[in-house]
Amino acid sequence: MPASSSLPDAPTELSKKYETSLGIAHTTMQALKDRIRLHYDLASDYYLNLWGEHIHHGYWPTPESKNTDSKETAQVNLIKLLLDISQLSPSDNHPNPNGGETMKTSPPSLRILDVGCGLGGTSRYLASTLGAAVTGITISGKQVQMATRLSKKVAAAAPTGNVADISAAAADDDDDNDNDDDDDDGFIPLAGGGKVRFLELDAEKMGEHFSGSSQASGSDGDDSRKFDIVWITEALSHFPDKGLFFRNAQSLLRKGGKLVLADWFKAEGLEKELLEKDIKPIEDGMLLPPLCTQQQYVELGTDAGLEVLSPPKDISQDVSKTWEISWSLVQNPSLWAFAFSQGRDGIAFLQAFRAMRRGYANGSFRYAVMAFKKP
């Protein structure tokens, strides 16, 4: 496969066979959300088989890591970076002194909302590493089913709480090994004192959904029942109303709570030619409304009443390897045939992998992490 620095958008024989034009604008935002839901309902099994339990970029921060770290290690590297910039660590939590056996009746101190949780890989990692109660939400009912099943398998197969064992158990998916040991709130207890649950929910409705629940409610001036952390990785770029997300996050966070974020962006000040050549095909194929810049997220966050805890850290060059690996992994005739059977969206999605590589190589497409805090 050609190196991304020389021919980042070089076609393969498969991609030439299924060539389609990219850059077509989405019709309505509701139609776009419906297409996103359908995409994840149809494609999540492929995501798990090809990319694993974490549906997000890998992070290779050093020359050594770029040469040696697997995609699975790189995906965990990204989570660790987000924990670092948001000043979170296992010591921030205060686990129940009686141990994990009593977690059903004495919940962990940290409450985390994982928005756009995918297959629940990050939710499980955070729950087990921080001893937290993590609620994952996704627009896809299929992902809720898969995340729940994977979590029950992890709970049964990785009693040590070792993160490597947890990842291995999730990767070795098997429908026949479910564990029905849920608590009364639908949480699945995990080793390490944490627990997870997954809900099918449009993130634009998370404010009204959780504001009426015990998870986020409390008397005026008492925010002890709200979330300590709202976590979102590569999901906000899909949302039509990003300002609404920031306002919802602010309302659901306790005082001092943190919004932790990683996402895709367009570069500042792009000329029309690069916007049309690099960004529009990504928005089309990846089912995105118009991409924002990193500074626009900062402005949306502060407008919603949040303080910047960690300003945008651009790690584009340290995550771009994701698309070299991905482009190699999808060179499978049966995968392209399946995509073709799903209509134009399926083929446009795979073809957009080339646009992602080109955007990173040209500097027009960016990736950054950042964190906010509720004062």
Side-chain angles (χ1 to χ4, degrees), residues 4 7-11 15 19-23 57 264-265 274-286 288 291 320 323-324 326-327 330 336 347-366:
S4 62
L7 294 171
D9 60 346
S15 66
E19 192 68 59
T20 188
S21 60
L22 293 178
H57 278 59
W264 310 350
F265 301 90
L274 273 181
L275 188 67
E276 294 294 328
K277 177 184 176 183
D278 289 354
I279 301 303
K280 294 301 182 184
I282 294 173
E283 293 172 348
D284 173 14
M286 293 293 168
L288 307 172
L291 283 168
S320 61
W323 295 98
E324 295 180 25
S326 298
W327 187 235
V330 300
W336 285 78
I347 291 299
F349 172 71
L350 293 180
Q351 294 285 14
F353 285 29
R354 293 166 55 197
M356 299 285 278
R357 297 181 66 201
R358 181 175 66 245
Y360 274 128
N362 291 341
S364 54
F365 184 71
R366 313 301 299 173

Side-chain angles (χ1 to χ4, degrees), residues 11-12 19 41 61 81 102 122 132 189 201 217 230 273 290 328 339 342 369:
T12 62
E19 192 68 59
D41 282 347
L81 173 64
T102 63
T122 299
L201 180 66
S217 63
V230 173
E273 180 180 355
S328 176
Q342 302 307 311
V369 297

Side-chain angles (χ1 to χ4, degrees), residues 139-160:
I139 199 172
S140 166
K142 177 64 176 291
Q143 288 190 334
V144 169
Q145 295 172 7
M146 293 179 68
T148 300
R149 185 178 71 240
L150 288 167
S151 299
K152 289 180 177 180
K153 182 175 178 62
V154 165
T160 64

